[in-house]
């Protein structure tokens, strides 16, 4: 995970690299999600090299009004613009609908995170609403995208 969360270029949209402690806290959050729910973000491994290039997977996310199953994706910047994030996000969506039985899945991102929005769109999602949140003494805007199992009719572009 350090090659993702502790990499300044990868984390630019969040204001820069996280510290080792922040990275370890995130890892512990993932492990807790596996223990509590049986799912979490998964490592994405490039078959050609066997190396971890990103994370993608389901985790419960607290919005301003509710807790929802969210598909998140984080890839080291050297592996952007190759379609890997969308490929992984689409697979997670099918797992959420077909194996876990969710009726709706979400992707939620900062209002400046256009790359993340585009993955959500490629994953067949529509923007539903936004909300403001106070974080680190700043007001940030988050957009909520989702797709419903009942709406799955080839909207994804993969
Ligand atoms: C969000 C993030 C994962 C998006 O990564 P990405 O590489 O832009 O997304 P994809 O993997 O879907 O790649 C799509 C791009 O690959 C291109 N591509 C190349 N080959 C492709 C293929 N075989 N199939 C699909 N797309 C392909 C697409 O044309 C598209 O190009 P573009 O970015 O120039 O428009 C990445 O920016 C990231 O890790 N950011 C930091 C962490 C983050 O913000 N995570 C989201 C938190 S809410």
């Amino acid at each position: 995970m350090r090659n993702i969360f502790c990499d300044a270029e990868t984390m630019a949209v969040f204001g820069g690299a996280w510290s080792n402690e922040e990275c370890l806290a995130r890892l512990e959050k993932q492990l807790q999600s596996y223990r509590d729910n049986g799912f979490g973000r998964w490592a994405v491994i490039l078959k050609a090299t066997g190396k971890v290039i990103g994370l993608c997977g389901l985790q419960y996310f607290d919005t301003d009004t509710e807790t929802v199953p969210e598909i998140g994706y984080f890839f080291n910047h050297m592996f952007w613009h190759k379609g890997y994030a969308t490929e992984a996000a689409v697979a997670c969506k099918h797992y959420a609908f077909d194996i876990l039985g969710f009726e709706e899945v979400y992707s939620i991102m900062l209002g400046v995170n256009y790359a993340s929005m585009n993955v959500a769109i490629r994953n067949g999602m529509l923007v539903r609403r936004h909300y403001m949140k106070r974080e680190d003494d700043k007001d940030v805007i988050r957009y909520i995208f989702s797709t419903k199992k009942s709406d799955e009719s080839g909207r994804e572009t993969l």
Side-chain angles (χ1 to χ4, degrees):
M1 283 176 64
R2 289 196 71 254
N3 66 334
I4 297 152
F5 293 119
C6 300
D7 180 77
E9 196 165 336
T10 299
M11 296 299 284
V13 76
F14 300 103
W18 288 0
S19 65
N20 275 338
E21 291 68 30
E22 288 170 310
C23 189
L24 279 173
R26 176 57 69 102
L27 180 61
E28 180 48 41
K29 193 174 166 191
Q30 302 304 325
L31 294 172
Q32 195 60 46
S33 178
Y34 295 135
R35 287 191 286 265
D36 290 346
N37 311 307
F39 57 80
R41 311 281 195 231
W42 292 290
V44 179
I45 295 170
L46 193 62
K47 283 186 181 167
T49 61
K51 296 245 168 28
V52 174
I53 61 168
L55 307 178
C56 184
L58 283 153
Q59 189 168 302
Y60 284 114
F61 188 104
D62 295 325
T63 73
D64 57 337
T65 58
E66 59 188 336
T67 301
V68 296
E70 201 238 354
I71 299 174
Y73 25 78
F74 301 79
F75 282 69
N76 177 275
H77 72 91
M78 290 173 62
F79 300 93
W80 293 355
H81 311 298
K82 297 175 190 293
Y84 294 150
T86 298
E87 182 181 339
V90 168
C92 289
K93 177 184 68 175
H94 290 309
Y95 186 82
F97 287 154
D98 300 340
I99 307 295
L100 298 177
F102 287 114
E103 292 298 324
E104 185 168 9
V105 288
Y106 298 75
S107 282
I108 298 166
M109 69 291 291
L110 296 174
V112 292
N113 201 340
Y114 305 125
S116 179
M117 291 180 194
N118 284 334
V119 175
I121 291 165
R122 291 186 190 104
N123 196 12
M125 295 188 175
L126 296 176
V127 62
R128 306 294 179 179
R129 67 180 181 90
H130 66 271
Y131 65 97
M132 302 297 296
K133 190 166 184 249
R134 191 90 185 143
E135 262 180 23
D136 300 328
D137 288 333
K138 282 186 301 217
D139 289 322
V140 297
I141 185 166
R142 286 192 192 278
Y143 280 85
I144 300 181
F145 284 70
S146 80
T147 183
K148 296 180 178 142
K149 187 171 184 180
S150 57
D151 288 346
E152 288 289 289
S153 56
R155 200 192 286 140
E156 71 196 36
T157 56
L158 264 189

